[in-house]
Amino acid sequence: MNTFSSRVFRRLVFLAAGLMAISGRGAEPAAAAPQAELVAPGVWRIRFGQPEQFTPTYFRSAAMDVAGLQALAPNAPLPLDLAKVTFQATARGCSLLLPMDNQERLYGFGLNTKIFDASNPGRRMVIEPTDAPENDLGQSHAPVPFYVSTRGYGVFVDTARFASFYTGNLAPAQDVVETDAGKISTSTAELYRAREPRMKTMVVEVPAAKGVEVYVFAGPAMLDAVQRYNLFAGGGALPPLWGLGVHYRGYAPYGAADSLGLAAKFRADHIPCDVWGVEPGWQTRTYPCTFVWDTNKFPDPDAFLKQMREMGYRMNFWEHAFTHSSSPIHDALKPWSGNYRVWGGLVPDFATPEARKIFLKQNGAVLFSRGVEGVKLDECDYQPESATPWSFPVVSSFPSGLDGEQMHSLFGLLYQQTMLTPYRDQGVRTWSLVRNSHALASPLPFVVYSDSYDHRCYVRGLCNAGFSGLLWTPEVRDANSVEDFYRRVETVIFSPNAVINAWFLKNPPWYQVNTDKNKRDEFMPERDAVTAGIRDLLQLRMSFIPYLYTAFNEYRTTGKPPIRALVLDWPGDAKVRPIDDQFMFGDSVMVAPMFTGQKKRAVYLPAGDWYDFWTHAKLVGGRTIEATNGVQQIPLFVKGGTLLPLAAPVEYIKDDTGFNLTVYLVGDQPADFTLYEDDGVSSAYASGKQNTVRLHADGEKHSAERTGGYQGAERFKITGWQPF
Ligand code: GAL
């Protein structure tokens, strides 16, 4: 499945003559010289030793997008000097040494919220899932054994082991290390300087495996390598249009009546909201789960869903996979589960078709047959660093043959794939949530979320997610102050899933940001003003939907992440390399979130003209400016020379909602902008039912040219053109 079958590219193009297997004491005999095989344009596979069967490519969720890879740049050269690559297998596992230079910077390794440039300083990045991502070990909700380099290449180590990547801090004995011969050092700084490796090497340590396959992605720029990785995974996920609207997750104890009441209040208050999330309360038991409706709280699930839909809501339901003994599927699932329980529940082995089928039968009966539009897959990560960890141990075994370590890496991916099946089968899209993911996740329409709640770390997560084919939401719950609440909402509306996760708040947080008071129905004196301010911010999100949808279509077709750290767009500008608190949102808008207590912040504007989104003032780039935006206004900057289509906000998106767009002409001679349009809900786009609307402005003359095979209701109508 992971071999590109075209005759042209199937040939072996690189014989790695210089690739040596170094055998140490106790090591296995050196394997035959490995080869780099071109598997698609700009993508090579190198096989070392005897790789394991159960890896992310073995369980890939989509076929590689060969046409997309071909379209990128068909003749990119292999960006790695194979003569400098070495491999070793020992009883403990295997290791790989890959060349680095002292200047290059490395990014990626998944959804880190603490680390950004992973090579400065050289360190160990552990690819192990955790529910506590605010650590500096590399662990996160979505650890990914993939990195990209400022030298313009990417490396993916295809393993489900808890691999460690040493990003230039180890000194292999084969390297000659020069000493400060003849010099007598006395200061601590001088003495310790000798500890720094003179020649950087990437060392990858893969436990347990006796070999591994490595995929190398060509540049020439970092962004090219990221795009190739995403296309290799199958291309980016395309959300349904409603998925980009506002998501609200209601109070967990609420039943049907309370949920309906609050949902109706949102409509009366004109709070934009597309998706209503039902938290644990809907099941008879949830830790572990039964996947059975609690009819005390939801006496008539069909009637509840019908009434929510009549108000225009799409429905999303919380669950986790651990299955309670009173669940109707418990006994059938038992032979297809791991040999440890979590919270007393079975751990389904989603690597087996049997477990998937049994699990889907029950979820189908209660959720999917009722047309539920999305799910929230909780608790599929783990807690490795705790003295009292929850979840199954790494020594677990599963009927598929996976062990606990492999299952921890793959659990989120396999759970997502399982729950995606009914949507794919029905040809409809979802935009769901998950708390654990891993490699090759780009095609999966799931956004990763977390219980951790550091706003600064959440923003770093947004910058990092785009390096590794991940989507991340800096979800909003309660807040320390009204200011904190505004600042968090300002960030989440510029993310892939604008979710207010009020699962422990009885009332919307814009009534009361403090959890205890909120539960006691004690509302803030400024409640009405905050409601209006939050409504404005959510409307801002709604106005960006057509623009963001277009960015997602580019993710799907070219692998370009819709949200990107600046280093991906300005690879030649060394100043952007450490910036982890500003990001691109689509191609024209740069976001620079502010944090509680900040009266001002530094914003780096890369070279070129920029325009302040709020004042429309022109700003010359290539310098750092100071943003002093007040608490209800996030600093936003629009690239000069662009067309920015913004929609009149709607409160929610029906299947036939048409957006009225004003196209803003930003700067002189704006380049064309091509909007993407389709039915917004189904997978019919895959068979050509999609349009492009090419926006063009030349002085006073404007045009919007629609072409393509989508004949349905116009989703994006251009109703005006305006100078910015
Ligand atoms: C947590 C999850 C929260 C919420 C809660 C409900 O594990 O991260 O978002 O869903 O469970 O019990």
Side-chain angles (χ1 to χ4, degrees):
M1 186 128 103
N2 54 12
T3 307
F4 171 42
S5 55
S6 152
R7 267 202 2 239
V8 183
F9 294 107
R10 198 164 163 71
R11 69 209 150 107
L12 301 181
V13 288
F14 285 94
L15 284 176
L19 201 62
M20 301 183 321
I22 311 239
S23 20
R25 194 185 293 262
E28 294 189 350
Q35 300 158 342
E37 176 190 1
L38 190 66
V39 292
V43 184
W44 292 262
R45 175 172 50 215
I46 313 172
R47 187 187 166 96
F48 299 96
Q50 274 87 52
E52 294 186 299
Q53 181 183 10
F54 299 128
T55 67
T57 56
Y58 182 84
F59 291 109
R60 57 162 55 244
S61 58
M64 134 168 83
D65 182 353
V66 176
L69 284 161
Q70 239 153 351
L72 265 190
N75 298 316
L78 177 73
L80 189 69
D81 183 355
L82 289 173
K84 293 190 179 150
V85 179
T86 59
F87 168 76
Q88 180 183 31
T90 72
R92 291 185 65 87
C94 65
S95 62
L96 262 178
L97 274 56
L98 300 159
M100 277 181 75
D101 72 29
N102 286 3
Q103 271 70 50
E104 76 181 296
R105 295 279 182 246
L106 306 181
Y107 301 85
F109 302 106
L111 189 64
N112 296 292
T113 62
K114 257 304 191 29
I115 306 162
F116 185 61
D117 171 351
S119 53
N120 187 26
R123 63 190 318 131
R124 178 171 65 128
M125 299 291 284
V126 189
I127 308 303
E128 182 175 27
T130 181
D131 68 353
E134 279 147 18
N135 67 74
D136 58 6
L137 301 172
Q139 301 160 320
S140 70
H141 288 286
V144 179
F146 170 72
Y147 63 91
V148 278
S149 162
T150 47
R151 266 179 45 220
Y153 66 91
V155 172
F156 166 51
V157 178
D158 185 21
T159 181
R161 295 290 168 195
F162 299 160
S164 288
F165 289 70
Y166 296 84
T167 64
N169 56 321
L170 294 185
Q174 76 197 53
D175 296 341
V176 179
V177 178
E178 290 175 11
T179 58
D180 297 336
K183 188 163 179 278
I184 298 169
S185 310
T186 47
S187 77
T188 318
E190 282 173 327
L191 286 166
Y192 285 5
R193 195 169 307 136
R195 293 177 169 187
E196 293 165 17
R198 304 295 201 281
M199 198 196 305
K200 286 195 175 181
T201 304
M202 161 63 76
V203 179
V204 188
E205 196 179 64
V206 184
K210 296 290 170 279
V212 74
E213 285 187 339
V214 172
Y215 290 82
V216 180
F217 302 88
M222 270 208 324
L223 182 56
D224 300 295
V226 168
Q227 289 183 244
R228 286 181 215 278
Y229 168 78
N230 287 331
L231 291 168
F232 172 74
L238 184 68
L241 268 173
W242 56 260
L244 298 180
V246 176
H247 297 229
Y248 186 87
R249 307 201 63 84
Y251 190 39
Y254 275 174
D258 289 328
S259 305
L260 285 163
L262 188 55
K265 185 90 180 62
F266 274 37
R267 293 300 184 229
D269 287 350
H270 302 291
I271 299 289
C273 187
D274 267 287
V275 181
W276 196 269
V278 182
E279 284 286 316
W282 68 276
Q283 295 180 47
T284 49
R285 283 170 181 274
T286 50
Y287 278 81
C289 290
T290 51
F291 316 104
V292 174
W293 286 88
D294 177 351
T295 45
N296 293 321
K297 282 154 101 182
F298 294 88
D300 185 346
D302 290 317
F304 168 62
L305 293 173
K306 184 164 174 278
Q307 289 175 69
M308 289 299 287
R309 291 214 173 89
E310 280 166 3
M311 289 189 276
Y313 292 99
R314 318 273 172 166
M315 301 303 295
N316 177 301
F317 283 78
W318 175 101
E319 66 169 42
H320 64 68
F322 310 124
T323 305
H324 194 268
S325 55
S326 70
S327 172
I329 52 172
H330 177 274
D331 293 350
L333 202 54
K334 200 165 174 212
W336 305 106
S337 298
N339 62 343
Y340 283 86
R341 286 176 180 261
V342 177
W343 301 314
L346 294 174
V347 182
D349 182 353
F350 291 127
T352 66
E354 291 85 357
R356 288 191 188 205
K357 202 169 149 205
I358 296 162
F359 197 80
L360 279 178
K361 192 167 169 231
Q362 182 63 16
N363 275 275
V366 295
L367 297 179
F368 298 125
S369 62
R370 296 191 155 101
V372 162
E373 286 90 346
V375 284
K376 169 172 167 179
L377 309 181
D378 205 20
E379 313 287 11
C380 42
D381 41 38
Y382 135 86
Q383 205 173 60
E385 299 304 322
S386 165
T388 53
W390 60 272
S391 204
F392 52 88
V394 291
V395 295
S396 306
S397 54
F398 288 84
S400 58
L402 266 73
D403 64 30
E405 180 182 11
Q406 294 167 311
M407 187 57 98
H408 271 305
S409 296
L410 299 168
F411 197 56
L413 286 179
L414 295 170
Y415 194 8
Q416 290 172 68
Q417 287 173 10
T418 304
M419 299 298 271
L420 188 55
T421 319
Y423 296 104
R424 285 200 171 153
D425 289 352
Q426 289 164 37
V428 294
R429 288 180 242 169
T430 179
W431 204 236
S432 286
L433 288 161
V434 71
R435 221 176 65 186
N436 170 246
S437 204
H438 198 264
L440 309 182
S442 330
L444 292 166
F446 286 80
V447 179
V448 186
Y449 66 94
S450 177
D451 279 338
S452 72
Y453 205 49
D454 183 309
H455 188 190
R456 180 67 189 82
C457 287
Y458 270 21
V459 171
R460 193 178 290 108
L462 269 179
C463 294
N464 269 328
F467 293 120
S468 303
L470 298 167
L471 302 168
W472 162 251
T473 175
E475 66 170 34
V476 180
R477 305 197 291 268
D478 56 338
N480 290 327
S481 61
V482 169
E483 178 189 356
D484 183 37
F485 182 54
Y486 271 122
R487 290 308 192 195
R488 288 175 180 275
V489 173
E490 286 164 24
T491 299
V492 84
I493 60 173
F494 289 97
S495 85
N497 189 327
V499 58
I500 313 286
N501 184 12
W503 72 273
F504 56 71
L505 298 172
K506 192 174 164 203
N507 299 286
W510 42 90
Y511 288 8
Q512 174 56 266
V513 297
N514 175 280
T515 306
D516 295 334
K517 291 183 183 170
N518 188 304
K519 283 189 183 153
R520 292 198 300 264
D521 296 327
E522 281 173 37
F523 300 141
M524 302 183 295
E526 64 271 59
R527 160 188 158 174
D528 289 346
V530 177
T531 303
I534 294 301
R535 185 191 299 117
D536 286 350
L537 285 172
L538 301 181
Q539 285 177 347
L540 181 64
R541 165 69 174 204
M542 299 310 285
S543 67
F544 270 102
I545 286 181
Y547 165 85
L548 183 57
Y549 194 57
T550 294
F552 266 103
N553 185 57
E554 224 185 312
Y555 186 39
R556 173 175 78 86
T557 55
T558 74
K560 184 177 186 177
I563 292 171
R564 302 177 299 282
L566 302 192
V567 68
L568 284 177
D569 284 32
W570 287 274
D573 183 347
K575 290 217 177 85
V576 301
R577 291 184 176 180
I579 296 180
D580 58 4
D581 60 356
Q582 291 175 227
F583 53 87
M584 289 303 292
F585 183 74
D587 281 350
S588 314
V589 177
M590 184 172 69
V591 185
M594 286 178 77
F595 304 97
T596 312
Q598 272 186 336
K599 297 278 173 278
K600 57 183 186 188
R601 66 154 290 172
V603 176
Y604 181 69
L605 300 176
D609 287 344
W610 293 89
Y611 289 78
D612 183 306
F613 179 82
W614 303 104
T615 64
H616 298 200
K618 182 175 172 177
L619 302 161
V620 178
R623 65 190 175 118
T624 300
I625 61 156
E626 198 168 78
T628 54
N629 302 54
V631 286
Q632 295 182 43
Q633 201 181 73
I634 182 169
L636 297 176
F637 303 89
V638 190
K639 250 192 201 172
T642 56
L643 294 175
L644 181 64
L646 292 179
V650 294
E651 278 175 31
Y652 56 94
I653 303 164
K654 293 185 284 203
D655 283 2
D656 59 356
T657 293
F659 287 83
N660 293 328
L661 273 63
T662 301
V663 184
Y664 291 92
L665 286 67
V666 188
D668 304 327
Q669 298 185 323
D672 290 359
F673 185 94
T674 304
L675 271 170
Y676 171 76
E677 183 191 58
D678 60 18
D679 69 16
V681 283
S682 81
S683 53
Y685 63 85
S687 48
K689 295 202 166 48
Q690 47 174 291
N691 292 339
T692 54
V693 188
R694 192 181 178 95
L695 307 177
H696 175 79
D698 188 2
E700 295 289 291
K701 283 191 277 169
H702 317 122
S703 59
E705 192 193 336
R706 178 176 267 98
T707 49
Y710 166 64
Q711 309 286 334
E714 247 179 44
R715 307 309 299 262
F716 303 141
K717 297 172 199 156
I718 311 300
T719 52
W721 297 75
Q722 294 250 334
F724 196 62

